[in-house]
């Protein structure tokens, strides 16, 4: 008897069939074209690397989430990438170490993890992104946010919103203006993440309570953040956020949550999360950081377009031209050159509509199927 489980896929993995495969391919191509239009050159790192390189290049990448195995050639541990950002850091620090800065790179590829998280059951995801290596100031952050929005719009996302955050805000305030003992810092971060005012007081973070209310639509939230008496230590951050928001303009709706740290384990002073209408969860994250090993500053973002597929796959099918037996090859070549998708007959009696065609070649021209 045939084992009915033979062809089952592992949990968290799935086939992309025609419509969804076409949709994700179009979205990837359009997003890469958008990044290219802003001067970002594509690189293509390998699917597998030495585990040590992936683990040490950047904080926040957990080796326990990566598929690992021994390389029979070197007898060293290999890992299947779970995040491509670290690979871009390696490329910038090695092969492109002498390239002029700022260095603009973009990428697209599949990533895989051993286990999924509670918000996303998938263990394989398409990751796209861009990295601006050698710059992490306001101008760099503004450019990267703008490019991320442009890439998402090109991919088909609508009503995009961007949530700004300041990942190292607690660390900055704890050093001087709102001092905390070292053992208190993690506790205050945790309760701010949980938006728990009572627990925040309990762990000695009462002075940080105003940060809980400096969240929401950007103009309102930045005004509340400006009212916090921090001895001027927030001035440059606030001015920076305002400049970035001005650069974004009406390209997207902007919100602010200055203490949000989920997904920002290695970002420095600035981070952002991307959302879109009709898409559950986040579409991407980005921000400023330092590349492990060299400590070179960089600003970048990563997008995960799989979440868009539900809306993109419902787009109308592309017009397809049926080429009957004995059709003129030169005519078919000419029509393909101007954008037609064609399906050639293999035998008489085929049904063009059943094959997904919308038109039929008739007398050298495309005629709509009745």
């Amino acid at each position: 008897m045939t084992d009915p489980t033979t062809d089952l896929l592992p949990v968290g993995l799935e086939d992309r069939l025609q419509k969804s495969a076409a949709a994700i391919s179009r979205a990837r191509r359009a997003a890469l074209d958008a990044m290219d239009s802003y001067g970002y050159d594509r690189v293509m790192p390998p699917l597998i690397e030495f585990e040590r390189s992936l683990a040490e290049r950047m904080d926040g990448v957990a080796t326990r989430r990566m598929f690992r195995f021994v390389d029979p050639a070197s007898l060293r541990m290999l890992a299947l990438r779970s995040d491509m950002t670290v690979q871009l850091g390696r490329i910038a620090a090695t092969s492109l170490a002498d390239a002029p800065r700022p260095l603009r790179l973009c990428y697209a590829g599949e990533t895989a993890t051993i286990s999924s998280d509670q918000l996303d059951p998938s263990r394989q995801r398409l990751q796209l992104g861009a990295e601006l290596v050698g710059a992490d100031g306001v101008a760099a952050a503004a450019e990267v946010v703008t490019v991320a929005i442009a890439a998402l719009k090109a991919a088909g996302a609508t009503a995009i919103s961007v949530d700004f955050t300041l990942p190292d805000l607690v660390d900055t305030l704890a050093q001087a203006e709102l001092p905390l003992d070292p053992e208190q810092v993690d506790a205050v971060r945790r309760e701010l993440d949980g938006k728990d005012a009572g627990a925040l007081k309990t762990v000695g973070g009462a002075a940080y309570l105003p940060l809980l209310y400096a969240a929401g639509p950007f103009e309102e939230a930045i005004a509340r953040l400006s009212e916090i008496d921090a001895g001027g230590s927030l001035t440059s951050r606030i001015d920076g956020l305002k400049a970035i928001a001005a650069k974004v303009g009406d390209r997207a709706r902007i919100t602010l949550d200055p203490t949000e740290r989920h997904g920002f384990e290695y970002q420095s002073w600035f981070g952002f999360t991307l959302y879109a209408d009709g898409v559950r969860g986040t579409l991407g994250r980005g921000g400023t950081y330092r590349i492990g090993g060299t400590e070179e500053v960089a600003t970048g973002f990563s997008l995960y377009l799989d979440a868009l597929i539900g809306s993109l796959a419902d787009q109308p099918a592309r017009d397809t031209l049926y080429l009957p037996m004995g059709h003129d090859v030169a005519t078919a070549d000419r029509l393909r050159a101007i954008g037609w998708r064609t399906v050639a007959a293999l035998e008489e009696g085929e049904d063009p509509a059943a094959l997904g065609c919308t038109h039929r070649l008739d007398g050298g021209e495309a005629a709509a199927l009745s």
Side-chain angles (χ1 to χ4, degrees), residues 118-165:
Q118 293 180 341
L119 298 178
D120 184 0
S122 176
R123 294 196 291 162
Q124 179 178 341
R125 296 194 293 175
L126 172 64
Q127 181 181 351
L128 297 88
E131 307 299 325
L132 180 53
V133 180
D136 71 343
V138 171
E143 175 177 307
V144 166
V145 174
T146 301
V147 174
I149 294 169
L152 274 183
K153 285 186 175 180
T158 59
I160 297 170
S161 62
V162 187
D163 188 43
F164 291 172
T165 188

Side-chain angles (χ1 to χ4, degrees), residues 44 70 81 93 105 151 172 187 210 214 228 258 271:
M44 300 175 69
V70 175
R81 66 188 180 204
L105 303 174
T172 300
I228 297 174

Side-chain angles (χ1 to χ4, degrees), residues 71-118:
D71 178 14
S74 66
L75 299 183
R76 294 173 60 186
M77 189 66 75
L78 298 176
L80 184 63
R81 66 188 180 204
S82 61
D83 186 326
M84 293 184 70
T85 305
V86 294
Q87 296 184 294
L88 272 287
R90 175 186 54 74
I91 290 172
T94 55
S95 303
L96 298 178
D98 297 327
R101 265 47 173 179
L103 177 64
R104 292 174 171 84
L105 303 174
C106 66
Y107 62 88
E110 298 290 336
T111 62
T113 57
I114 288 177
S115 60
S116 59
D117 58 46
Q118 293 180 341

Side-chain angles (χ1 to χ4, degrees), residues 235-295:
T235 302
S236 63
R237 304 296 180 89
I238 291 170
D239 290 344
L241 291 176
K242 288 180 177 178
I244 297 169
K247 180 74 173 181
V248 172
D250 60 1
R251 292 180 174 89
R253 175 177 176 268
I254 305 174
T255 57
L256 172 65
D257 187 348
T259 64
E260 176 61 46
R261 283 184 55 82
H262 179 70
F264 297 99
E265 289 82 4
Y266 58 81
Q267 269 76 19
S268 54
W269 77 272
F270 173 71
F272 62 96
T273 305
L274 296 153
Y275 304 90
D277 187 40
V279 178
R280 181 181 178 184
T282 64
L283 278 172
R285 289 190 178 88
T288 57
Y289 63 96
R290 290 183 178 273
I291 297 173
T294 63
E295 296 305 305

Side-chain angles (χ1 to χ4, degrees), residues 49-66 68 76-83 85-87 90 266 291-293:
E49 290 197 26
F50 289 118
E51 177 197 21
R52 182 174 180 179
S53 175
L54 290 172
E56 293 183 355
R57 185 59 63 182
M58 189 177 296
D59 294 336
V61 177
T63 57
R64 66 180 180 275
R65 296 195 69 206
M66 295 191 293
R68 293 171 289 169
R76 294 173 60 186
M77 189 66 75
L78 298 176
L80 184 63
R81 66 188 180 204
S82 61
D83 186 326
T85 305
V86 294
Q87 296 184 294
R90 175 186 54 74
Y266 58 81
I291 297 173

